[in-house]
Structure formats: C-alpha cells, structure tokens
Amino acid sequence: MFKKILVANRGEIACRVMRTAKAMGIKTVAVYSDADARAPHVLMADESVRLGPAPAAESYLKAELILLAAKETGADCIHPGYGFLSERESFALACAEAGIAFVGPPPNAIAAMGDKIESKKLAKAAGVNVVPGYLGEIDSTDHAVEIAGGIGYPVMMKASAGGGGKGMRLAYSEQDVREGFEATKREGLASFGDDRVFIEKFIESPRHIEIQLIGDQHGNIVYLNERECSIQRRHQKVVEEAPSPFVTPAMRKAMGEQAVALAQAVGYYSAGTVELIVSGADTTGEGFYFLEMNTRLQVEHPVTEEITGLDLVELMIRVAAGEPLGFTQNDVKLNGWSIENRVYAEDPYRGFLPSIGRLVRYNPPLPFALSEVEVHAPSEGASTSLSTNGEGVAESDEPRVRVDDGVREGGEVSMFYDPMIAKLITWAPTRDGAIAAQIAALDAFELEGPGNNIDFLSAIMQHPRFQSGALTTGFIAEEYPDGFHGAPADAELLKTLAAVAAFAATAEADRARRIDGQLGKRLRPPADWVVTIDKIDHAVTVSTDGIAVDGEDLDLSLEYTPGDRMVVADGHGADGDEHLTIRIAKARAGFKLTARGASHVARVLPARVAPYTAHLIEKVAPDLSKFLICPMPGLLVRLDVAAGDKVEAGQALAVVEAMKMENILRAEKTGTVKSVAAKTGDSLAVDQVILELD
C-alpha cells in the first residue's frame, strides 16, 4: 500500500480524498494556489506545497509543478480528484514516467473516452446505444448551421473535450446556432484547451442517468447501480439521487452491461462513470443513449456510496496499488435511497448569477463533514470509517445526513474556481424519507455572505413534480420559467412565522425594557402585535398562556433568546407534530425569517402603531434600464458595441466570464450607445456600469 498520497486538487474533493487516505494510514500532501493558502484542504494535509497564483492555469493546471511537489515530498501516488488534470492523458503519462502511481484509469482509456467524438465511435463499435448526430470536424459557423439543419432541431452543440456542463449550447433555431457555436468553441478552448465542437440530436423529455463503474487491473469490472442527475441548470447538475425513480431492474441491468462492455473495450480500471440520456417518454426500457464516459471520480459519488456501502475513494486507491476488487457483480448492494444537493455560491433570486465573497457565517446542519456511518468495501482489510471522530456508528434504518465540503467560516469564495460550496447528502430507507431529511437539513443550514441556492434546493425538494419522480433535464426551466422567487408558503407556515416573529419581538422588547430599567421590572405579556408577511397582516397576541394568531391559539413550543440565529418551532403543521427550523435575522422594523425554501420579511409593529403605516409614502425604485450593469463579479471577455451604435432590445452587448462560465448580457431596450465605461479584459465588480444607452 502507498505511504504518501498527493491530492492534485482543492476544496471539498481534496478534503474528501484526504479523509479516506488518513483512515487508511496514508500520509497526505496538499497543493495550493495563493487564493487557497489557508484553505481547509491545506490545513488538513500532513504537508502542503504552493503551486502559484490564483488562476488555475497558473497553479492547479500546471502538471510539472504538481509532479515536482510529489517528488519533493516523496509522494508515491497522486489522486487528481475531479476537474483540473483528472482527465488529462498527458498527466497520467507524466505520472507513469516519473514513477508515481496515478489514482485513476490508464492513459489510453482517458484518451479514448476524453474525446467525445472518438468515444461515441468506440461506444457504437462496442454495441452501446448512441445519440444520432454528426461526429466529424465542423469547419465554421455556416457549416454548423448546415449540419444542425440536417439533423433537425433542437440540437445540442458540445465541446469535444468538455465536461461538467461547460462548453454546451442548446439550439432550437439557426439563430441559436449562429449565436452559440463560437461561444461553445471559446468555452472549450478556455476550459479544456480544445475548441473542437460536435453536434447531436437533443432528446425530448430527457432524463440524465449514469452508471457508476469500478474496475481493477486484473480485468474485473462491475457496475454499482445508477444515479439520476436530471435536475440541471445550464447543463450543470444541481440534484443527484441513487437509485433513479425511473429505472427498472431490467433497464438497470441493460445499462450496466453496456457500460461494462464499453469499459472492457478500452481496458478500463479504477472508478469511472458512463453517462446516458434517457427518453422519459420511452416505455420499453430501451430508449437510453450513450452521452460520454467520465474517466474520474464524479462530484455525485457520495449517493452511490450511501446505497452500496462502498468507499469509492478507497477502492480507487487500492486498485491503483494493484489490489483486486475482491467482490463480484452479485455482491453489489442496493440499500435504501440517497439524495445529494449541491450548495452553490449563486443567487437564485437574481437569475442564479454567480456570487463571491467571504463566508461570514458557515454552519452546516451537522458538526462533522462526513456522516458517522461505517462504510465497508467487501474485501479483506478494506473496511474504513468515514467518521471524523473515529468511532463510527453502526448502520440503521434511521435517516442520516452527510456534508462534504472544503470551506470554513471566514473563508473566501473566489471568482477563480467553481462556485460549489458544499454537497448535502441524505440517506433513508425510502425516497420520501431521503427527501424529508433534505428539507429538514436545508432549513438548518446556516450560510451567510455570498448569495447561495439553499432556498432553491429546498423548493425543489418540496415540489410535487420532484416528489413524484417525474423528472427531465428541463425541470428547472419548465417549473421556474420566470425565475425563482422563493418556495410558496401555505397558510399554516405563514401563521407559524408570524408567531415566531411576534415571540421574538416580545423577547427583544422585554430585554430592552429590562436594560432601560437596569434589570428591573420585566415586560409582562400579553403583547399585541401586527405582523405583516408577504403583504398579509396577522394579529398576534403573545401571553403567558401561549400565542394566538388571527384569533386562533397555536399549539407551538418556541424558545428564543435575543441574538439567536435559529428558532425551532415544535408543533408546527396541520397535524401538530412537525419540527420546523427557522433561520432568523433582524431586519428593518422586524425580522427576516427563512424556512422551507423562502425568506420572508416580517414587519412587526405594536398593534396601536400599525394603522399609521397606511400613511407612509412608498419609495419608487430608480430606472436603471438605460444602463448595462454587470450582474456578477467577472471578466469582460467581449464587448460587441461602441459609442454611437444603435441597439435593439434583446441584442447581445457584452460577454462576462464568471466562475468559468460565459454570460451574455443583452440590451433591455432599444436605443443608442451613449458611452462605454469598460473595455475588454477589465475585471468588473457586481453592479459596475459597462455602458449607458440614450
């Protein structure tokens, strides 16, 4: 077994690999950029080596620096994580030449599957179903338009070396192809060093299903069931679950066997994932098609670990050391249900724009980064606990929560890297149980600083369509066509929030009065308040006997101390036994209450004062439509107009790159460019003016 492992990555995946390595008794080495000098993965490692400046191209993508770090620290193997160098054939070859084990597949398999065009040809030859499309070289935008018209709209344009949702554009018309083809080429070149693009038919009502594989260097390959990753935004996964609510046992077997056949055709070993697009309208169980093979550990691997009891990182390390798997396909379990939500630094209330900044408060729903559950690989000596306290807890039917992260309170979310902050994983015996555990955990997830998508994730978990399992990759676009404005709140929840706000106001008023009276006489309920939430007024009375909202006594158990950030309401709900966690923060004339996927501002006024608010003058927001404003921090990579140019509403004016994605900024109205305040190559702040229209 290896003595020392270097993890050629950052963030949560670097921490994830190190936890397993430490449990196996292997020393760890971290590498870091200047932006990550004090990051958790650096502090967790036994040793660390600086690579260079913050941009990935000058640090994490510098293979020669990583190999030098491995040699200097005496690391005998390198785990690449995902992204960065994980799917570079050249890096795997360089590791072999340096005599350092690469914890991943052989270079020839990476090369074969890393090129999406060639991989589809190989898949077809191996008897795997493939999506109809054009796999040859595309010379120009006009050529792309011709090909797309021949295939028939809608089509998907993809960077040949792409992955992770980057370098992909969906086109419904010739205009979409003309607008998106060059952008797809640029994203492919910027992120993967390859600007080749292929075009294929877009499958209607598609579901994204993937098969997890694990193989050893002795020719043994098994599939570890499937994951469903259909909840996506801009082709980037948001929610994953295992197993899929759509896949039947016969379908699982057919998919798994085709995935194994493809892996065997390229001599594959280590962990890998075959991604499939499945027609949701298919009832035969045969309407699935090969998309690509990811020759690395996937972001969503925890859900497979939770339902199989296997530690995929440990298996990868043991395979790299030459050990056999020690189990067969018949030994693979499918136990319960697991769901993963990706917590991103993006603001769903502002069109999911990327967000950066300091984590002013970061308190996940559990005080440890991995669930206290023993994870077993069914081979001798391959049992390892993923518990941070080293004790482990025996498996049971009780729902459990796991958080995989690589950040800490006070840390910075940088514009240089992926916006994912953490992965929230739940397991339960049933899908309904795993969903319920997610909702409760998201309520209790405290995250302040950059904008985040916690409310949005909770809304998805509560959505009737998600709960029914009727998923497609268009779920978010179809269910939130006008953007996200918070999960709808029922009358029972609003009454509970009104009660919490009034109770908190009573406690705050009591504290203020005691301070004024030098800790003398306490405020004596009853206290009558008018609480306004979502423009609805609630009359609330707080007394020693309890709380009444709109004349109805609520059977609630509440506890609040001035300054608290969380309130737990026991007894919420029509059945009176729901445990509800509410995040609470002070707001102007009241509180901001966050629960069940939405933030609600509760204005709390004494009943005698509330009537006077009807006489207040409403402040009108200024008209900013004549300005093109940068909606997120990023790099201005393209400016399509100059002063004096006439523009039409909806016309593309500029392109801003943020969090490794290109964002097209368009004119809100027809007009003439009056002035330009920025130039290509500028680093822009959020809300910075790019140009002004007349």
Side-chain angles (χ1 to χ4, degrees):
M1 182 45 62
F2 303 114
K3 302 298 182 186
K4 186 180 291 187
I5 186 170
L6 182 146
V7 184
N9 218 297
R10 64 178 298 279
E12 70 86 13
I13 190 58
C15 294
R16 166 71 188 90
V17 173
M18 287 180 193
R19 287 188 185 98
T20 286
K22 286 177 177 290
M24 295 174 70
I26 302 172
K27 296 288 186 181
T28 57
V29 180
V31 291
Y32 64 92
S33 70
D34 290 343
D36 285 337
R38 296 179 60 81
H41 79 279
V42 178
L43 302 177
M44 177 182 289
D46 297 302
E47 300 174 67
S48 59
V49 179
R50 176 186 177 272
L51 294 176
E58 300 175 46
S59 52
Y60 295 106
L61 289 172
K62 288 278 191 180
E64 66 275 15
L65 295 180
I66 290 171
L67 287 168
L68 181 61
K71 291 176 182 177
E72 288 178 346
T73 57
D76 49 359
C77 71
I78 293 177
H79 195 301
Y82 51 71
F84 294 140
L85 298 172
S86 63
E87 293 182 283
R88 295 274 181 94
E89 176 199 15
S90 58
F91 184 58
L93 285 170
C95 289
E97 290 170 5
I100 299 171
F102 178 74
V103 184
N108 65 293
I110 296 175
M113 293 295 104
D115 186 321
K116 287 185 172 56
I117 294 173
E118 293 304 314
S119 68
K120 286 181 181 294
K121 294 177 181 177
L122 282 167
K124 192 171 184 179
V128 179
N129 304 342
V130 297
V131 180
Y134 183 83
L135 301 179
E137 294 286 338
I138 301 175
D139 304 322
S140 64
T141 300
D142 287 339
H143 189 199
V145 168
E146 180 186 339
I147 290 166
I151 295 172
Y153 293 102
V155 298
M156 184 71 81
M157 298 176 289
K158 295 184 180 180
S160 179
K166 299 173 183 64
M168 297 174 67
R169 288 289 191 285
L170 179 59
Y172 287 94
S173 65
E174 177 180 330
Q175 181 182 348
D176 290 345
V177 175
R178 292 193 179 280
E179 243 184 34
F181 181 71
E182 290 299 327
T184 305
K185 286 172 68 71
R186 283 195 303 272
E187 282 188 5
L189 186 62
S191 297
F192 310 104
D194 186 341
D195 69 352
R196 290 176 303 150
V197 173
F198 69 95
I199 300 177
E200 64 186 14
K201 181 71 177 173
F202 180 71
I203 304 298
E204 301 285 359
S205 301
R207 300 179 78 117
H208 187 118
I209 310 290
E210 57 190 34
I211 300 293
Q212 176 69 59
L213 299 174
I214 187 73
D216 61 26
Q217 299 186 50
H218 307 278
N220 304 305
I221 302 177
V222 299
Y223 62 91
L224 307 180
N225 306 312
E226 81 284 351
R227 297 185 287 258
E228 173 132 8
C229 311
S230 295
I231 306 298
Q232 303 178 5
R233 195 186 63 77
R234 290 183 63 175
H235 313 299
Q236 192 167 43
K237 299 165 187 172
V238 178
V239 181
E240 299 99 354
E241 61 182 300
S244 164
F246 181 74
V247 173
T248 63
M251 200 174 184
R252 180 177 300 120
K253 186 173 185 292
M255 288 177 168
E257 288 176 351
Q258 284 197 18
V260 168
L262 177 59
Q264 288 173 334
V266 295
Y268 199 90
Y269 58 78
S270 193
T273 299
V274 172
E275 301 202 352
L276 305 163
I277 197 79
V278 181
S279 172
D282 181 73
T283 57
T284 66
E286 299 175 355
F288 60 88
Y289 306 93
F290 173 78
L291 273 179
E292 62 181 320
M293 183 175 186
N294 291 305
T295 55
R296 54 171 168 80
L297 191 68
Q298 292 280 91
V299 175
E300 57 272 21
H301 75 274
V303 293
T304 295
E305 292 184 329
E306 293 294 325
I307 66 164
T308 62
L310 298 171
D311 182 339
L312 285 173
V313 173
E314 179 174 344
L315 289 173
M316 290 180 74
I317 293 172
R318 292 187 179 280
V319 165
E323 293 186 12
L325 287 182
F327 62 95
T328 67
Q329 190 65 57
N330 290 334
D331 298 317
V332 176
K333 296 189 300 181
L334 200 169
N335 177 36
W337 215 284
S338 184
I339 296 175
E340 173 180 293
N341 273 307
R342 301 190 188 189
V343 178
Y344 282 123
E346 61 183 19
D347 191 345
Y349 295 101
R350 298 186 64 194
F352 299 94
L353 293 174
S355 182
I356 63 173
R358 189 169 300 282
L359 289 166
V360 177
R361 186 167 181 82
Y362 179 75
N363 186 22
L366 293 176
F368 43 82
L370 286 175
S371 60
E372 291 183 274
V373 178
E374 288 191 0
V375 178
H376 298 280
S379 57
E380 185 177 351
S383 172
T384 180
S385 168
L386 295 184
S387 168
T388 54
N389 62 20
E391 296 174 359
V393 176
E395 290 190 37
S396 72
D397 286 340
E398 291 297 317
R400 56 181 181 255
V401 178
R402 163 178 169 178
V403 179
D404 281 18
D405 60 16
V407 298
R408 62 171 47 185
E409 193 166 281
E412 195 85 12
V413 177
S414 166
M415 67 179 286
F416 296 104
Y417 311 116
D418 189 89
M420 190 171 67
I421 295 172
K423 302 184 307 196
L424 180 66
I425 305 107
T426 58
W427 177 93
T430 65
R431 186 171 187 265
D432 287 347
I435 291 172
Q438 278 284 347
I439 295 169
L442 287 163
D443 275 351
F445 204 130
E446 294 184 80
L447 203 169
E448 297 175 17
N452 64 78
N453 66 337
I454 288 176
D455 283 358
F456 180 62
L457 297 174
S458 181
I460 291 174
M461 294 295 101
Q462 298 173 69
H463 200 291
R465 179 176 163 189
F466 178 82
Q467 294 188 349
S468 73
L471 314 180
T472 70
T473 56
F475 177 93
I476 291 176
E478 292 160 6
E479 298 302 327
Y480 303 96
D482 301 320
F484 178 69
H485 307 290
D490 60 25
E492 200 68 38
L493 176 59
L494 290 179
K495 285 183 179 180
T496 299
L497 295 179
V500 168
F503 188 80
T506 302
E508 296 280 358
D510 186 26
R511 178 175 182 269
R513 189 167 296 194
R514 283 188 288 123
I515 290 173
D516 287 346
Q518 295 298 303
L519 302 180
K521 186 178 179 181
R522 294 177 61 86
L523 174 70
R524 295 189 177 182
D528 292 320
W529 306 95
V530 173
V531 181
T532 305
I533 303 179
D534 297 348
K535 298 182 179 180
I536 300 174
D537 290 340
H538 298 274
V540 186
T541 298
V542 180
S543 70
T544 53
D545 296 326
I547 301 175
V549 179
D550 299 331
E552 178 188 353
D553 290 332
L554 298 188
D555 185 15
L556 282 178
S557 171
L558 295 174
E559 187 172 335
Y560 174 83
T561 301
D564 280 358
R565 293 173 180 265
M566 307 283 279
V567 177
V568 175
D570 283 318
H572 161 75
D575 53 8
D577 62 358
E578 188 174 356
H579 181 85
L580 178 68
T581 303
I582 303 159
R583 300 194 296 279
I584 183 168
K586 282 195 176 180
R588 187 177 180 183
F591 301 91
K592 180 182 178 182
L593 306 170
T594 305
R596 291 296 189 265
S599 295
H600 305 267
V601 175
R603 187 181 66 188
V604 187
L605 296 172
R608 67 182 185 280
V609 173
Y612 296 105
T613 60
H615 303 288
L616 295 176
I617 299 174
E618 188 174 345
K619 187 176 180 181
V620 179
D623 180 15
L624 299 176
S625 62
K626 68 177 182 177
F627 297 102
L628 181 67
I629 295 174
C630 186
M632 82 290 281
L635 182 71
L636 183 61
V637 296
R638 202 179 82 210
L639 189 60
D640 295 333
V641 293
D645 288 354
K646 292 186 176 180
V647 300
E648 299 294 328
Q651 180 179 334
L653 302 181
V655 176
V656 174
E657 183 183 282
M659 300 288 194
K660 302 191 288 186
M661 297 288 282
E662 286 193 357
N663 303 272
I664 299 174
L665 307 185
R666 302 179 184 275
E668 288 190 28
K669 57 170 63 174
T670 299
T672 302
V673 178
K674 179 179 180 182
S675 62
V676 178
K679 62 182 184 299
T680 302
D682 283 356
S683 290
L684 304 177
V686 64
D687 293 335
Q688 184 171 335
V689 174
I690 299 173
L691 57 84
E692 182 180 357
L693 297 175
D694 231 348

